Amino acid sequence: MRALVLASLGSLTGFPSIANAAETIVTKAPMAFLFEPGSGTILFAKEPDKPFAPGALVKVMTAATVFKALKDDELKLDQLCKVSEHAWRSGGAPSGRGATMFAAIKSEISVEDLLKGLLVHNGNDSAIILAECLDGSEDAFSKRMTDLAQTIGMTNSKFANPTGYPEVPSQTTVRDQARLGEYLVEEHDDLYPMFAIPEFTWNKIFQRNKNPLLGEIRNLDGLGGGNDPNDGFSGLGSVDRNGRRVIASVAGLTSDKHRLQTLKEVLEGAWDYFIVKTVFTAGETIADGRVHGGVESTVPLVSTRNIDVLLPNGETLEYRIRVVYEGPLQAPVEEGTKAGEIRVIGKDGIVYRAPVVTGQSVAEGTLFSRAIDGLQELLFGWIG
């Protein structure tokens, strides 16, 4: 068996143009990525895999790691965590290192309140307390963070601590950050609203949400921002507007104002420059897959859902459609068997992919027909 790549099925054309509108997003951000998780479409990418140190943006990954532990029943929301001297000195008021929830030394705080302290107060002490509560140390928790990142597809990320302190910086990319946002929205929809809690009072101290992006971008409900002394300001934003969610990540900015302006430009671009195009409807034949040893030599390959792709407005689009599958398929073939995937390919690579399945069953052929197929494969190979 070998991978067969079917020839391009054509270019996508015929979109209405928007007068006086740019064809795509333009941003001065050194790194930017815009993703639409509903269809899996990459809308914009600029240096998507260039590494940067995320600073306090790390706390989004810290939250994701705790969310995963809660989902796996390793922690409970009402479980109490003790505030160690290390957490108090390194992340609390005595540290003098900025954001804190002012957790008192040797006190016990619930996981739920610590998560609010992390996501509303941006508390460094919250991050350390959660790390120690789950794994006993920041180092062990950081390994858990990195392992989870690899598991969910953040292949170019490594986390050194739960706070984002720069002494030993973490590393990530804007593509990986967008993947993190998608993971949180899709896998932890019950806890995701914590990112948008407007304020939280702890120990009689009232603090508003310190996410610098909330309230500044319409319909934004997460996720966070960071700043590294060497790599500058970065941000990760998620917007749900009229049933469409997009996630954007930017990095390498010179100031918090520059970050906000850039992230707003990128996120708004999803509505300014893109429309939904239904490339294929559910059940429509996308391509024919070759079959070995069957009563039929081919089987239709279809999608189980509409192939809806967000693509730029314009009269002509340089996008190609391909189907990739492992073939030939061995008879008997059952209808609905996953066979490969459809890919929409732009100038910067694959912008959309979705699985394809067999659209009908193919019974096993006669001994003679199977022998002929075997001889053909031996002499000529299979051509898709």
Side-chain angles (χ1 to χ4, degrees):
M1 301 285 283
R2 62 188 178 88
L4 294 181
V5 182
L6 301 189
S8 171
L9 301 178
S11 299
L12 303 178
T13 60
F15 287 90
S17 59
I18 294 180
N20 301 319
E23 291 185 358
T24 188
I25 297 167
V26 177
T27 177
K28 294 181 180 179
M31 293 160 271
F33 194 83
L34 179 63
F35 182 69
E36 199 272 319
S39 67
T41 308
I42 298 171
L43 304 180
F44 182 79
K46 182 178 180 181
E47 297 286 0
D49 301 312
K50 183 177 180 179
F52 69 93
L57 189 57
V58 158
K59 289 167 185 167
V60 178
M61 188 69 212
T62 300
T65 306
V66 176
F67 287 179
K68 177 66 162 56
L70 286 165
K71 191 171 187 177
D72 293 344
D73 290 327
E74 292 186 77
L75 287 177
K76 301 290 185 183
L77 281 172
D78 60 359
Q79 181 175 331
L80 297 179
C81 299
K82 191 170 183 177
V83 181
S84 70
E85 183 175 351
H86 167 70
W88 179 70
R89 290 192 181 279
S90 300
S95 70
R97 303 197 68 164
T100 175
M101 71 177 292
F102 298 99
I105 188 172
K106 297 183 180 179
S107 64
E108 292 186 332
I109 306 173
S110 71
V111 170
E112 182 174 7
D113 284 343
L114 286 168
L115 279 170
K116 291 176 181 177
L118 177 75
L119 299 177
V120 180
H121 296 176
N122 199 28
N124 294 314
D125 50 358
S126 312
I128 298 172
I129 298 163
L130 284 166
E132 292 181 335
C133 190
L134 184 57
D135 286 319
S137 71
E138 290 187 74
D139 287 344
F141 183 81
S142 298
K143 183 180 184 304
R144 182 191 288 256
M145 293 170 72
T146 300
D147 289 345
L148 175 59
Q150 296 297 311
T151 299
I152 66 176
M154 299 173 64
T155 55
N156 293 311
S157 295
K158 184 176 181 180
F159 296 94
N161 56 62
T163 57
Y165 285 168
E167 288 81 1
V168 182
S170 298
Q171 179 177 293
T172 190
T173 67
V174 287
R175 187 196 302 273
D176 281 2
Q177 286 296 296
R179 174 67 192 107
L180 174 58
E182 179 188 24
Y183 168 75
L184 284 163
V185 168
E186 294 190 348
E187 298 297 327
H188 300 288
D189 57 324
D190 56 332
L191 294 171
Y192 177 77
M194 278 191 167
F195 283 96
I197 295 173
E199 70 268 333
F200 178 52
T201 299
W202 170 254
N203 203 19
K204 299 181 180 180
I205 300 173
F206 171 85
Q207 296 187 60
R208 295 191 183 279
N209 196 308
K210 288 187 170 61
N211 181 348
L213 310 174
L214 281 176
E216 300 294 334
I217 299 175
R218 186 163 60 94
N219 300 120
L220 184 137
D221 55 17
L223 291 142
N227 177 31
D228 179 80
N230 295 314
D231 290 349
F233 289 78
S234 57
L236 175 61
S238 181
V239 168
D240 188 345
R241 191 177 298 168
N242 299 325
R244 180 194 298 176
R245 181 176 291 279
V246 293
I247 297 170
S249 178
V250 296
L253 288 313
T254 57
S255 67
D256 54 353
K257 183 179 180 180
H258 190 200
R259 172 181 56 201
L260 175 61
Q261 177 186 356
T262 302
L263 194 60
K264 185 180 294 187
E265 289 173 349
V266 174
L267 283 166
E268 292 294 343
W271 285 271
D272 291 343
Y273 307 130
F274 292 86
I275 60 172
V276 176
K277 172 69 175 179
T278 300
V279 182
F280 292 99
T281 58
E284 181 181 353
T285 298
I286 299 173
D288 289 319
R290 295 297 301 270
V291 177
H292 177 272
V295 295
E296 303 287 345
S297 61
T298 63
V299 63
L301 301 179
V302 305
S303 173
T304 57
R305 64 176 189 268
N306 286 355
I307 302 297
D308 295 327
V309 187
L310 273 170
L311 293 171
N313 286 288
E315 295 179 354
T316 302
L317 300 172
E318 295 301 322
Y319 285 80
R320 294 166 293 134
I321 303 175
R322 287 183 178 175
V323 171
V324 179
Y325 73 104
E326 288 284 330
L329 303 172
Q330 186 68 41
V333 176
E334 293 187 8
E335 183 178 353
T337 301
K338 184 177 178 180
E341 66 180 21
I342 181 174
R343 297 175 180 176
V344 178
I345 305 170
K347 62 183 179 65
D348 295 320
I350 298 170
V351 299
Y352 174 89
R353 63 207 315 161
V356 294
V357 301
T358 52
Q360 66 185 42
S361 299
V362 178
E364 191 174 35
T366 65
L367 181 62
F368 177 74
S369 66
R370 297 200 303 273
I372 292 296
D373 283 350
L375 181 62
Q376 175 178 321
E377 183 176 11
L378 178 64
L379 295 177
F380 306 110
W382 286 89
I383 302 174

